[in-house]
Amino acid sequence: MDRAPTVPSTVRWRGIATLTALLALLGGYLSVTPGAASAAEEGLLSYGKPAVASTDQSDVNCFECTPDKAFDLDPASRWATSSTTGWVDPGWIYVDLGATATVNQVVLQWDPAYAAAYQIQVSPDATTWTTIYSTTTGRGFKETINATGTGRYVRMYGTARSGPYGYSLYEFKVYGTGGNPTAPPAQPADPTFPATELVWSDEFNGAAGSKPDPAKWTIDPGTGQNNEVQYYTNNNNANMDGNGSLVIEARRETAGGRDYTSHRMNTGGKFTVQYGRVEARVKVPKGNGLWPAFWMMGADFLTGRPWPYNGEIDIMEVLGRNTFEGYSTLHAPAYNGGGGYGQKYPAPGGVDLADDFHVWAAEWDSRGITFKLDGQTVFVASKETVEATRGPWIFDHPFYIILNLAVGGDFPGPVDGTTPFPSRMLVDYVRVYQ
């Protein structure tokens, strides 16, 4: 859900993409089989190493897309050839491994501007190059190349672009032995599901009329995106009901230049999480134009990284015009807005989600995210599949939690004379397990 881009506001766009599949065996040394890269993970030689390219881009379309971005293990950053001088053949990028190495694998995660024909080359001096792999049938997305060679420098040498643009890589990973590798930052261990250790929660058990706990929640006033019509007040539209639930209320009233008010809050600056089971028990409202949501944003948004480069995980969205179905979606640089990677699904058992509380959950680890509703899997986002068919997976870092009730906008449509006001989204609890 789009949110005003002021810290600690949150930004989000809507839309569900049709899931596609593009897993292909490309022949020769090339494969996109699961486990190939992970088996070589201990031999990553290229992280943080100096890089040189034929050209690079820095403009409004790709800011500071310099060669080092392909080797920083940040899947949301990328290298691209210059938009003024680099949309030509050949185009290339190489990395200095710091010492002679035996290379046994190269992994390329392409931007849509990929090489249809290219070579992987090694060199002792960045002058004389030996080709250890060559293809004229590059497919883009993630390509895992099992090829062996010896050298200090490793180069992707593109000879035919896939389209009118240049060459661009989110990731260029080199695996093998030797070199002078820099250890990448440690990642948290994957939880074992079902995760049972409660690491954070809010049970909303306060007295009737009390406000969300300021030690856990940051209130996020302002307007939304996507042509939403509400103004989020500074905590006026949220309170405990005294029966164990938080009430988020949308009202027909004037504030902030809008004719409707509602509430939005997040755990930014107070709690973040990477991996685990994130769940909430929620009763959604019914009515045209109502848009309740339970979701997460990459925490680096709060330190200046713009959406969608920080990543967005929509655990639950329900549109008030049809409360018999829900949505779960991921947003990233290569798949966002109307092209977000997600799923619309019917409520288990065909129930009306507005009639009672239901539990939405995301079980998240380094291999992907499984979305569940009342214990039933409704969507699985596999990291391997996303990388092979849509683009980089950017969800291996801390995120914070958001609750809100939007009114109107491009996704839910407008309110009308049948929309009840006030309308209430009730949250029984939010819990995080690892």
Side-chain angles (χ1 to χ4, degrees), residues 304-328:
R305 169 162 272 188
W307 183 94
Y309 297 93
N310 62 306
E312 177 182 334
I313 302 171
D314 298 338
I315 301 173
M316 176 277 283
E317 298 176 275
V318 174
L319 304 184
R321 67 172 184 255
N322 183 358
T323 53
F324 290 87
E325 60 188 21
Y327 299 80
S328 298

Side-chain angles (χ1 to χ4, degrees), residues 204-396:
F204 303 115
N205 287 330
S210 61
K211 296 299 181 179
D213 185 349
K216 295 182 177 181
W217 298 99
T218 297
I219 309 307
D220 194 7
T223 57
Q225 311 293 344
N226 302 301
N227 296 310
E228 298 160 30
V229 298
Q230 82 290 321
Y231 182 81
Y232 292 116
T233 64
N234 190 10
N235 226 7
N236 296 337
N237 292 59
N239 60 267
M240 307 303 144
D241 65 1
N243 295 313
S245 293
L246 169 72
V247 179
I248 296 177
E249 188 169 87
R251 305 169 185 157
R252 191 193 303 271
E253 63 181 1
T254 300
R258 302 294 179 92
D259 293 328
Y260 301 88
T261 63
S262 191
H263 179 79
R264 177 179 61 190
M265 65 186 191
N266 65 68
T267 66
K270 302 177 189 296
F271 173 76
T272 62
V273 62
Q274 180 177 345
Y275 306 154
R277 177 182 169 93
V278 183
E279 70 175 35
R281 186 170 184 261
V282 183
K283 183 178 181 182
V284 299
K286 178 191 292 287
N288 289 336
L290 300 176
W291 186 4
F294 164 50
W295 50 297
M296 297 192 292
M297 284 276 278
D300 49 354
F301 177 78
L302 299 179
T303 56
R305 169 162 272 188
W307 183 94
Y309 297 93
N310 62 306
E312 177 182 334
I313 302 171
D314 298 338
I315 301 173
M316 176 277 283
E317 298 176 275
V318 174
L319 304 184
R321 67 172 184 255
N322 183 358
T323 53
F324 290 87
E325 60 188 21
Y327 299 80
S328 298
T329 316
L330 301 179
H331 298 271
Y335 40 97
N336 60 75
Y341 187 82
Q343 182 69 54
K344 179 175 72 174
Y345 44 82
V351 301
D352 186 337
L353 295 169
D355 285 346
D356 203 348
F357 286 91
H358 297 274
V359 177
W360 277 270
E363 295 185 342
W364 167 34
D365 62 20
S366 65
R367 295 164 294 186
I369 305 174
T370 297
F371 296 88
K372 295 188 174 184
L373 173 53
D374 292 336
Q376 296 191 31
T377 297
V378 291
F379 176 52
V380 176
S382 159
K383 179 178 180 178
E384 175 205 342
T385 300
V386 169
E387 290 178 333
T389 64
R390 298 299 296 275
W393 178 266
I394 66 166
F395 306 99
D396 293 325

